[in-house]
Amino acid sequence: MTKKASFIIAIVAAVLLCLVPRNADACSCVVPGTPEQLLAESALVFEGRILSVTDTADGGMPQASNFFTTDNQFEVIRAWKGTRAGARVTVKTANRLSSCAEPWKAGDSILVYAREWQGQLITGYCHGAKPSEHAAADFEALGPPLGTDPGCSMAESANARVPQRQVLLGLAALLGFGVMRRARRAV
């Protein structure tokens, strides 16, 4: 077989591999981001226990204007932004008829990253919300909740932290700069 034929076969194989369908999710969204990013983008961040779940939909399939029609009333257990422990907060999630509906029920503990949309607080998987038992990494990244460190609010400490990736990129850039300078001197 010639090099040209081998090259064409390799290209065709690569294209066919790209066309293989992935598993489809009924509800899909962009990966929400890091806990630090979610904290910065959210109006409220808290861990709460659901007191009640009420579907306020009018019955039909959700449209853009009535997509967030399930009211979840929370009692805030601990807060990182926008509320305080002990407060009661109502946050809307996707309509129970949609594929993006959260399977939450009264008594569940949820880490909530709530955003404001059309004058209401909304959340869901696509906004980073998750059951507390699956949120250990988020809790660690968020640090102590409000009221546990009298000298610093969570918003201040989140802005003061430098993500590890940025530190590593900065060190790599400095190292690369030093290597380039040394190479120029050698020439």
Side-chain angles (χ1 to χ4, degrees):
M1 191 178 319
T2 67
K3 284 186 176 183
K4 186 176 182 180
S6 297
F7 180 73
I8 290 173
I9 290 173
I11 295 293
V12 169
V15 168
L16 289 176
L17 283 174
C18 291
L19 296 177
V20 174
R22 296 183 345 198
N23 289 340
D25 293 327
C27 179
S28 62
C29 56
V30 176
V31 176
T34 67
E36 294 87 354
Q37 291 169 326
L38 293 169
L39 176 69
E41 296 167 359
S42 299
L44 277 73
V45 178
F46 64 90
E47 178 184 20
R49 184 175 54 84
I50 296 181
L51 300 174
S52 65
V53 178
T54 307
D55 193 355
T56 59
D58 59 4
M61 284 304 289
Q63 304 298 315
S65 62
N66 70 346
F67 184 76
F68 293 100
T69 60
T70 301
D71 288 342
N72 300 271
Q73 185 179 35
F74 290 90
E75 178 178 11
V76 177
I77 298 168
R78 51 188 175 157
W80 286 267
K81 184 177 182 182
T83 188
R84 61 177 170 63
R88 291 193 177 196
V89 178
T90 299
V91 181
K92 290 191 172 288
T93 54
N95 181 305
R96 292 277 182 197
L97 298 175
S98 86
S99 60
C100 293
E102 297 296 344
W104 303 340
K105 61 189 179 314
D108 289 351
S109 280
I110 308 293
L111 171 60
V112 176
Y113 296 96
R115 297 178 185 208
E116 290 186 48
W117 183 71
Q118 295 185 353
Q120 302 176 84
L121 293 171
I122 61 168
T123 195
Y125 169 75
C126 293
H127 298 106
K130 60 188 68 142
S132 295
E133 65 263 18
H134 301 298
D138 289 65
F139 291 140
E140 185 176 331
L142 290 169
L146 293 173
T148 58
D149 182 1
C152 177
S153 74
M154 184 56 199
E156 290 168 348
S157 65
N159 291 333
R161 283 189 244 169
V162 178
Q164 257 184 335
R165 187 181 333 172
Q166 289 177 342
V167 171
L168 293 175
L169 287 173
L171 290 174
L174 286 173
L175 181 64
F177 180 72
V179 169
M180 286 177 38
R181 276 187 85 185
R182 185 170 278 185
R184 283 187 184 166
R185 286 183 185 168
V187 173

